[in-house]
Amino acid sequence: MAPSFTEIAYRTMQQGRSLAGLVHKELSTKVMEVVAPDVVPKTRPVPNEMINALRQSLDALNEKDWRDSESGIYPQSLLFDIPWLEWAGRYPRVWLDLPSNWARRRARDVKDIPDLNNRDLYPEYYLQNFHHQTDGYLSDHSAELYDLQVDILFNGAADAMRRRILPSLRAGLNRFADRPQGSLRILDVATGTGRTLHQIRAALPEATLVGVDLSEAYLRQANRWLNQSNKPLVQLVQGNAERMPFDDAGFQAVTCVFLFHELPPVARQAVLQDCYRLLESGGVLVLADSVQLKDSPQFDVAMDNFRRVFHEPYYRDFIIDDIDQRLKDAGFIDVHAESHFMTRVWTATKA
Ligand SMILES: C[S@@+](CC[C@H](N)C(=O)[O-])C[C@H]1O[C@@H](n2cnc3c(N)ncnc32)[C@H](O)[C@@H]1O
């Protein structure tokens, strides 16, 4: 059957985003080579076979994204729901931010964060400039640029990767199919600026959604982004994912996207343990993060380059960590995982 106009529009948009991400990265590297050659990261050359494999797996991700929207797992309108105007307005600031990024790289300063009056709230590992990000996760400036920077990093596929949690989330919630959707509570851990919650709300519009994150600034951005329409309100709570400020067994589903590679191993286990505590028996945990060396050895150079270009102090450990075992150690059953482009999605059930 010939593709519909909407399908062609989606594919064209994704190709455009991918190209825009590649062009931005190429240009900013060229500028860095001229203006700040001493801080250009030493990356490994990416073999042609890997470039082809990456391209194919990105196409496969977009294909799955399209098919799942077609089959009603989430609405097709979500695929086009991107704050273009906002991002266009913020894009010049991504460039203006580069000199301070280079200065921190030059000084090898990864702890350049704003003064905090509630420092005790934050674990030491958190108080860093992850990705060499200005202010770390601790300012409105950082929160305003984050979504756009992530979209560029993943060549326009960040939301498609986040949406990979939705089929498992919906399937897991089927265990509670005898209850009204409005009574289901879903917690998004390390929700950041709320883009994952935005995807979840589109797929499960009646469920009660809660997001938790350590960054007040990111939660403020999430609040602006999620709670200014006439859609159901999302609750946003500041807290450490290692011991979240919620009662035991109060959620039927917990999601967590792109957090684990930024945690030291002990914190990873603590977060899984706390997710287990918060879930009702039979509840589902859906976790998405970077692919790992074991499941995607063909992307080893890309993974290595990622940690060379960005300040990601726990990434090298994460990509060899046994998350399946960690989930089982936390008490989860029915653990399984699948990879899509650069993301791996784990699903597990509370016994
Ligand atoms: C890479 S971002 C991912 C954000 C979001 N889930 C997404 O899909 O874009 C990591 C987030 O984890 C949060 N974070 C890191 N460590 C945390 C912790 N121990 N407890 C709660 N949030 C944490 C950061 O503030 C940041 O918002």
Side-chain angles (χ1 to χ4, degrees):
M1 205 170 73
S4 67
F5 175 75
T6 321
E7 184 175 352
I8 293 169
Y10 172 68
R11 290 186 196 286
T12 310
M13 177 185 76
Q14 287 307 89
Q15 276 165 11
R17 285 169 88 177
S18 172
L19 190 66
L22 287 168
V23 169
H24 174 91
K25 281 182 277 196
E26 190 67 28
L27 265 182
S28 54
T29 306
K30 290 262 176 289
V31 172
M32 197 198 291
E33 281 165 3
V34 173
V35 181
D38 53 320
V39 296
V40 175
K42 290 188 180 37
T43 52
R44 287 166 60 191
V46 181
N48 278 340
E49 312 85 76
M50 189 187 299
I51 294 177
N52 288 336
L54 281 167
R55 210 171 278 146
Q56 278 169 16
S57 78
L58 177 57
D59 287 347
L61 169 73
N62 286 332
E63 179 69 26
K64 272 216 153 56
D65 198 26
W66 172 257
R67 295 278 159 241
D68 282 350
S69 76
E70 251 198 336
S71 66
I73 293 176
Y74 37 88
Q76 235 154 48
S77 56
L78 187 59
L79 307 186
F80 299 92
D81 195 349
I82 299 143
W84 292 120
L85 274 181
E86 224 174 89
W87 283 3
R90 288 173 189 187
Y91 183 63
R93 287 166 60 195
V94 172
W95 281 96
L96 293 173
D97 195 47
L98 287 179
S100 86
N101 180 308
W102 299 333
R104 275 191 306 281
R105 286 176 194 256
R106 184 168 296 120
R108 295 179 184 279
D109 185 356
V110 291
K111 302 230 162 167
D112 178 24
I113 52 162
D115 290 337
L116 300 163
N117 50 19
N118 50 354
R119 206 185 162 98
D120 291 350
L121 183 69
Y122 306 99
E124 202 51 42
Y125 64 77
Y126 183 76
L127 299 174
Q128 307 192 41
N129 304 89
F130 287 94
H131 339 125
H132 297 287
Q133 184 101 352
T134 300
D135 303 328
Y137 285 121
L138 293 156
S139 73
D140 291 316
H141 169 78
S142 163
E144 283 164 11
L145 299 189
Y146 171 83
D147 289 334
L148 179 53
Q149 287 170 325
V150 174
D151 205 63
I152 291 170
L153 170 68
F154 290 120
N155 296 342
D159 280 345
M161 284 159 67
R162 291 186 180 103
R163 282 193 286 272
R164 283 303 87 215
I165 67 166
L166 297 177
S168 304
L169 178 61
R170 291 195 67 135
L173 284 172
N174 274 341
R175 283 188 208 101
F176 305 99
D178 55 339
R179 301 186 195 171
Q181 198 189 95
S183 72
L184 300 180
R185 286 168 52 80
I186 304 172
L187 173 68
D188 186 43
V189 176
T191 198
T193 55
R195 283 209 66 88
T196 301
L197 280 172
H198 182 67
Q199 318 298 318
I200 297 174
R201 182 168 60 183
L204 294 154
E206 286 165 34
T208 299
L209 301 188
V210 183
V212 65
D213 198 283
L214 264 174
S215 169
E216 202 180 332
Y218 276 55
L219 290 172
R220 244 194 316 276
Q221 174 65 28
N223 190 47
R224 278 194 288 272
W225 164 242
L226 290 167
N227 284 338
Q228 282 181 2
S229 62
N230 55 1
K231 298 194 176 126
L233 288 175
V234 170
Q235 293 171 34
L236 298 165
V237 180
Q238 190 179 21
N240 185 345
E242 293 176 74
R243 37 180 192 285
M244 293 177 264
F246 307 109
D247 292 340
D248 297 0
F251 294 93
Q252 286 68 46
V254 172
T255 57
C256 181
V257 176
F258 304 154
L259 168 68
F260 272 54
H261 71 281
E262 294 194 344
L263 296 177
V266 173
R268 272 177 227 144
Q269 194 62 42
V271 173
L272 290 180
Q273 220 70 60
D274 214 38
C275 290
Y276 191 83
R277 176 183 70 81
L278 297 181
L279 278 168
E280 178 182 333
S281 177
V284 63
L285 171 69
V286 192
L287 189 73
D289 214 292
S290 164
V291 286
Q292 298 186 301
L293 278 177
K294 210 162 95 188
D295 65 272
S296 303
Q298 72 280 21
F299 297 150
D300 59 344
V301 176
M303 286 183 234
D304 195 31
N305 283 346
F306 177 67
R307 62 149 194 102
R308 287 167 188 255
V309 175
F310 297 102
H311 176 61
E312 285 289 1
Y314 309 110
Y315 187 73
R316 208 201 304 228
D317 180 87
F318 172 78
I319 57 176
I320 54 167
D321 197 6
D322 189 344
I323 300 295
D324 290 38
Q325 191 56 49
R326 286 194 180 284
L327 285 160
K328 288 174 193 161
D329 290 348
F332 285 100
I333 56 168
D334 299 338
V335 174
H336 58 272
E338 51 187 50
S339 298
H340 304 277
F341 184 46
M342 293 309 287
T343 195
R344 187 152 179 84
V345 178
W346 286 265
T347 307
T349 304
K350 177 162 178 173

